[in-house]
Amino acid sequence: MVKRSSIIFFTCIVILLICDAASDVEHRKTYVVYMGSLPEESSYSPISHHLGMLQQVTGETDAASSLLIRSYKRSFNGFAAKLTEEQREKIARMEGVASVFPNTVLHTHTTRSWDCIGLVESVKRNVSGESDVIIGFLDTGIWPESESFTDKGFAPPPKKWKGTCAGGKNFTCNNKIIGARFYRGDSARDDVGHGSHTASIAAGNNVNGAGFYGIAEGTARGGVLSARIAVYKPCDNEGCSDAGILAAFDDAIADGVDILSLSLGGMFPPDDLYNDGGISIGSFHAMAKGILTVQSAGNEGPDPNSLTSVAPWILSVAASTTDRQIIDKLVLGNGATLVGDSVNAFDPNGTKYPLAKCKDRIYSDVCECLKSEIQGKTVLCNTRIDIKAHEAGAVGAIVKDSGVSNGPTGVTLFPYLTLSPKEYNVVASYSRSLSNPEAEIMKSESIADDNAPRVAKFSSRGPSVAVPEILKPDITAPGVNILAAYSPLASPSGHDDLDPRRVKYNIISGTSMACPHASGIAAYVKSFHPNWSPAAIKSAIMTTAKLINGPKDHFSYGLGHVNPMQAVDPGLVYDLSKQDYLELLCNLGYNTSIIKRISGDQSVTCPKSPARPLIRNTNFPSILIEEQSMKPFDVQINRIVTNVGFANSEYNVSVQSTSGVNITVEPKVLSFKSFSEKQSFVVRIVGGKLPAGSVLFASLVWSDGTHNVRSPIIVNILKSTRG
Ligand SMILES: *[C@@H]1O[C@H](CO)[C@@H](O)[C@H](O)[C@H]1NC(C)=O
Ligand SMILES: *[C@@H]1O[C@H](CO)[C@@H](O)[C@H](O)[C@H]1NC(C)=O
Ligand SMILES: *[C@@H]1O[C@H](CO)[C@@H](O)[C@H](O)[C@H]1NC(C)=O
Ligand SMILES: *[C@@H]1O[C@H](CO)[C@@H](O)[C@H](O)[C@H]1NC(C)=O
Ligand SMILES: *[C@@H]1O[C@H](CO)[C@@H](O)[C@H](O)[C@H]1NC(C)=O
Ligand SMILES: *[C@@H]1O[C@H](CO)[C@@H](O)[C@H](O)[C@H]1NC(C)=O
């Protein structure tokens, strides 16, 4: 049997193979055994403790060591192991065990797309402060040789850095990428492209002449050029395991990162904080150590309740469009030109291909033809593209936008585009009217989009199923068609086996791309305010956000579109401590054993009468109340703001109300005499009988003439009584 030392825990492939073999025979599954904070005693050895526990349940020394997959031993206590159901139950009853939960697979929040905006290059920067900021990325690794990550002009890592370069085979760090660890595969090298893309969005160098087949040309630039990157790789092409994610949190917190960026999450909205694949737990520990975790909201929109980023201490980021839109044109044989959506790098060079005429026979569930009828032709597809059409010989495809989101669209594997139903019908009737219809799918081009920013259809919407009383997502950031670094091992369309193209820069869409924009902004704020708490940084980014065009819907964009220039100087912040979050967990109705499990804090006690309605008093930068239908209400909400603007300042309140409620704020003026001074105020919301399911959006703004500190007020009238 394999003898383990701490080094071996990184070579998870070897261990997993051994354990998987055992699992076939004995029906073992991987469980994460979570044991809260590490004991203080210096003599405590987590690994021997964990092995001892496994020995107790298996009765064998050798077996125990082969079942242990990984020990968490740096920032919190616990381990991942292969267990039978019976062993799981035994371990769950052991002393010190806060919880045992199954290891689940999470996914990176992407699928391809374009454009890169960030802070303008000439923005005011605290260069020394910025080069001290370390962003940890939990992702698919990184391509260390990319021009986006060279370290020309970088000093050695900041002194506080306790991490290491353990990136595995043929992986070298530098003064930009200052640390690397992997929990999947044999190195931290990125063979998916996702991790290189996200890291370069937040903190990549300025790279001139980056582009993607001439569609989006220009400079690829990260938000914080001088910041450092620490790579943690719990994900690969197959997804991410929560055992790996927790291990990555454990390491990153101990290594000393400042911001954690997670462009990943579950595919289904978690119904509880402890069902989100370890992210609530890992990020709680990070928060307790002063580290803000930023996470993508999810790509499961546009339906309500589709949000997969739920932890109240996380900054959850929705995805929005930028002022550069990528379109694709279709020219029919009769000269008509239709404008569709896709990132299509293929140039037809003036060739029109025949449109397949397929009568009413169905080639597959989505494309309307038989295989023999589509070779060398362009095929019409009813709801979405089917790669099988391409494999069967179609040279192009025209897809009807079915109205539902199938996630972000991105770089195409072969020429195709999506058309609105109306335009699709134009093509369909043209095709029916002729015996030899033909069409040319043009190469994509960039145009200006005056309607930007708007929230992308695919971006997951709140309210969150797990905690509907808290407004989520928190903000929105660019996440549609972002050009950034990529891995030359992956194909730009994501179909590595069918697509021979390899690129250094790729266009991808997703809340995965929005997240690192927000992480970069958090790092930018941190570079000016190194001592701000995670909640203060969050508040600064949220209350300075710009309002979004179009109908109000805070459940799609949170407080609005990120506004980095203002975020460094918010005037006031709504701060929250670890203790406040523990109290929130009590009010959410979790018992102390669950709270210990999430927080790792074994000394937690809840106040005498915790209650869900008290959640509204948690000092968030947003205000949300839930009320019953057709029942008048009169509620008071408490908030505390901390002055981070001018020492001597006076803020006036203004309320933008909405019909159905009367909102008043007391006091109406807040006067501050010093920096860091705190002041409290009360918001009273009085409403009449409102119909079930109505959602009212109002807002309040504190202004000193220079700073405008905006909070939305949301009144959610429940559809039915919540038990
Ligand atoms: C710049 O960063 C340094 C180092 O973190 C910090 O001490 C200093 O206060 C910052 N300066 C400004 C103007 O924010
Ligand atoms: C290390 O990886 C780089 C990038 O793939 C490659 O160019 C180089 O040949 C590799 N070196 C070794 C020794 O494998
Ligand atoms: C169009 O021309 C370019 C340059 O000659 C060539 O690389 C490309 O393959 C052509 N496209 C098609 C669809 O034939
Ligand atoms: C705490 O809550 C969980 C989940 O609702 C439940 O399984 C557990 O028995 C509770 N523990 C105590 C001590 O009440
Ligand atoms: C709001 O205030 C107005 C004026 O005082 C009053 O007529 C109205 O009934 C109030 N609405 C509610 C919902 O209380
Ligand atoms: C706040 O309100 C007072 C009284 O209306 C006014 O004199 C003062 O100029 C206002 N201050 C700001 C910053 O708007």
Side-chain angles (χ1 to χ4, degrees):
M1 272 291 133
V2 185
K3 278 268 183 302
R4 264 173 197 75
S5 69
S6 59
I7 300 293
I8 290 191
F9 293 114
F10 296 113
T11 60
C12 47
I13 281 244
V14 176
I15 295 165
L16 281 170
L17 286 177
I18 293 164
C19 301
D20 280 344
S23 83
D24 290 343
V25 185
E26 298 170 52
H27 305 291
R28 292 179 197 279
K29 283 203 278 201
T30 304
Y31 287 95
V32 175
V33 179
Y34 179 65
M35 300 164 65
S37 300
L38 281 169
E40 303 281 325
E41 309 93 78
S42 57
S43 62
Y44 178 77
S45 159
I47 298 178
S48 14
H49 186 195
H50 302 156
L51 283 173
M53 291 168 69
L54 284 170
Q55 275 166 29
Q56 264 188 52
V57 296
T58 58
E60 293 166 62
T61 316
D62 280 357
S65 71
S66 70
L67 298 179
L68 182 65
I69 294 172
R70 178 176 288 120
S71 275
Y72 311 120
K73 52 191 185 302
R74 303 187 65 202
S75 302
F76 42 82
N77 197 4
F79 58 94
K82 291 270 183 185
L83 301 172
T84 63
E85 179 55 28
E86 191 191 342
Q87 291 165 347
R88 184 195 72 81
E89 283 171 14
K90 278 189 192 163
I91 284 200
R93 286 196 298 268
M94 284 182 171
E95 201 188 322
V97 173
S99 64
V100 181
F101 51 98
N103 184 39
T104 50
V105 174
L106 290 93
H107 294 266
T108 48
H109 275 164
T110 334
T111 21
R112 36 215 142 272
S113 200
W114 38 298
D115 192 86
C116 195
I117 69 156
L119 301 169
V120 291
E121 215 181 321
S122 58
V123 80
K124 180 183 78 165
R125 290 181 188 277
N126 182 358
V127 175
S128 74
E130 195 172 303
S131 72
D132 278 352
V133 179
I134 304 161
I135 310 179
F137 294 89
L138 271 60
D139 214 301
T140 62
I142 202 164
W143 190 259
E145 291 82 10
S146 168
E147 251 191 283
S148 290
F149 309 122
T150 57
D151 68 349
K152 193 160 165 276
F154 278 76
K159 289 207 176 59
K160 65 181 178 188
W161 176 241
K162 295 199 268 310
T164 179
C165 190
K169 209 179 75 198
N170 189 21
F171 188 103
T172 319
C173 295
N174 59 23
N175 287 331
K176 177 79 180 170
I177 303 173
I178 60 171
R181 301 178 186 274
F182 59 95
Y183 311 88
R184 280 211 174 196
D186 61 2
S187 92
R189 189 172 285 283
D190 178 14
D191 58 6
V192 180
H194 190 272
S196 306
H197 205 265
T198 55
S200 67
I201 289 171
N205 297 320
N206 246 339
V207 178
N208 293 321
F212 182 76
Y213 294 103
I215 298 171
E217 293 298 284
T219 303
R221 178 182 60 227
V224 275
L225 303 173
S226 309
R228 318 296 180 121
I229 293 169
V231 179
Y232 301 88
K233 181 186 172 184
C235 308
D236 60 16
N237 242 332
E238 317 257 272
C240 335
S241 74
D242 54 6
I245 288 171
L246 267 179
F249 268 111
D250 184 40
D251 283 328
I253 295 166
D255 287 348
V257 303
D258 294 297
I259 308 286
L260 276 167
S261 190
L262 274 75
S263 290
L264 55 89
M267 305 259 281
F268 302 101
D271 56 0
D272 232 318
L273 290 181
Y274 52 84
N275 283 338
D276 72 345
I279 292 170
S280 284
I281 292 172
S283 60
F284 191 98
H285 284 266
M287 178 275 296
K289 291 273 157 58
I291 304 161
L292 175 64
T293 301
V294 185
Q295 188 192 7
S296 44
N299 294 338
E300 317 303 324
D303 291 338
N305 303 114
S306 49
L307 197 81
T308 52
S309 172
V310 295
W313 37 89
I314 277 182
L315 182 67
S316 307
V317 191
S320 41
T321 58
T322 69
D323 56 6
R324 179 162 71 178
Q325 188 186 1
I326 295 181
I327 55 156
D328 199 18
K329 286 181 185 159
L330 177 75
V331 183
L332 301 180
N334 62 10
T337 300
L338 303 160
V339 177
D341 187 21
S342 77
V343 184
N344 170 33
F346 301 99
D347 189 341
N349 300 326
T351 309
K352 287 193 170 59
Y353 290 96
L355 285 171
K357 305 240 330 158
C358 307
K359 308 190 186 80
D360 291 328
R361 290 170 300 180
I362 303 299
Y363 156 72
S364 74
D365 58 336
V366 288
C367 298
E368 302 176 350
C369 279
L370 285 177
K371 186 170 172 170
S372 59
E373 294 172 322
I374 65 177
Q375 267 164 17
K377 296 179 181 166
T378 292
V379 65
L380 295 179
C381 301
N382 223 331
T383 51
R384 61 185 162 82
I385 189 63
D386 186 344
I387 297 307
K388 278 184 268 167
H390 175 56
E391 288 179 291
V395 295
I398 298 161
V399 186
K400 178 157 78 179
D401 183 348
S402 59
V404 300
S405 170
N406 291 310
T409 56
V411 169
T412 63
L413 167 65
F414 68 106
Y416 65 79
L417 80 170
T418 304
L419 290 178
S420 71
K422 196 174 146 212
E423 308 226 286
Y424 182 88
N425 289 339
V426 170
V427 181
S429 54
Y430 160 75
S431 174
R432 275 194 301 270
S433 71
L434 289 182
S435 56
N436 55 347
E438 51 179 23
E440 183 178 4
I441 298 174
M442 309 297 285
K443 184 176 163 182
S444 289
E445 53 192 290
S446 304
I447 60 163
D449 180 2
D450 297 337
N451 287 321
R454 275 172 309 175
V455 177
K457 198 193 262 181
F458 61 76
S459 188
S460 287
R461 265 61 170 185
S464 87
V465 177
V467 194
E469 295 94 337
I470 298 173
L471 177 64
K472 285 269 174 183
D474 294 305
I475 43 139
T476 185
V480 176
N481 291 333
I482 307 296
L483 176 73
Y486 205 61
S487 165
L489 294 182
S491 70
S493 64
H495 297 278
D496 291 359
D497 44 345
L498 301 171
D499 184 353
R501 295 174 295 175
R502 293 297 180 262
V503 292
K504 290 180 174 168
Y505 288 83
N506 193 19
I507 296 170
I508 317 186
S509 291
T511 54
S512 274
M513 283 65 241
C515 169
H517 281 98
S519 308
I521 294 164
Y524 181 62
V525 173
K526 182 106 186 160
S527 74
F528 290 93
H529 311 290
N531 300 321
W532 280 12
S533 71
I537 296 176
K538 224 184 120 175
S539 172
I541 295 173
M542 289 165 69
T543 61
T544 55
K546 287 186 184 153
L547 292 175
I548 288 273
N549 297 330
K552 274 198 176 158
D553 180 11
H554 291 285
F555 290 119
S556 71
Y557 51 71
L559 273 69
H561 202 242
V562 288
N563 182 7
M565 298 300 291
Q566 245 357 99
V568 291
D569 185 19
L572 306 174
V573 292
Y574 294 84
D575 208 353
L576 282 162
S577 65
K578 175 183 166 188
Q579 202 50 45
D580 296 322
Y581 284 121
L582 289 175
E583 205 173 306
L584 168 67
L585 291 174
C586 296
N587 287 326
L588 279 165
Y590 296 126
N591 58 37
T592 44
S593 61
I594 299 265
I595 297 177
K596 283 174 186 168
R597 167 174 163 176
I598 293 177
S599 69
D601 192 327
Q602 300 303 318
S603 63
V604 175
T605 51
C606 278
K608 280 227 175 58
S609 45
R612 281 194 93 110
L614 295 177
I615 293 168
R616 60 172 64 137
N617 282 330
T618 312
N619 203 35
F620 290 120
S622 57
I623 292 172
L624 193 159
I625 60 168
E626 290 189 318
E627 295 299 330
Q628 308 297 332
S629 65
M630 304 319 281
K631 245 173 107 174
F633 54 91
D634 181 349
V635 297
Q636 301 205 0
I637 292 137
N638 304 317
R639 284 291 183 274
I640 298 169
V641 282
T642 308
N643 179 24
V644 296
F646 307 118
N648 269 299
S649 51
E650 189 174 276
Y651 284 81
N652 287 357
V653 78
S654 61
V655 173
Q656 194 184 51
S657 199
T658 182
S659 65
V661 287
N662 287 337
I663 301 171
T664 48
V665 178
E666 277 305 324
K668 291 183 171 46
V669 179
L670 297 176
S671 297
F672 296 90
K673 295 282 171 290
S674 63
F675 194 73
S676 296
E677 187 182 338
K678 290 180 190 290
Q679 298 266 358
S680 59
F681 63 92
V682 177
V683 180
R684 183 171 173 198
I685 308 174
V686 181
K689 295 182 176 176
L690 293 167
S694 40
V695 184
L696 275 47
F697 294 118
S699 65
L700 73 82
V701 181
W702 287 105
S703 177
D704 67 349
T706 306
H707 307 98
N708 294 304
V709 188
R710 180 181 288 103
S711 295
I713 299 173
I714 295 142
V715 180
N716 209 2
I717 307 298
L718 296 172
K719 290 203 175 80
S720 55
T721 311
R722 182 174 289 132

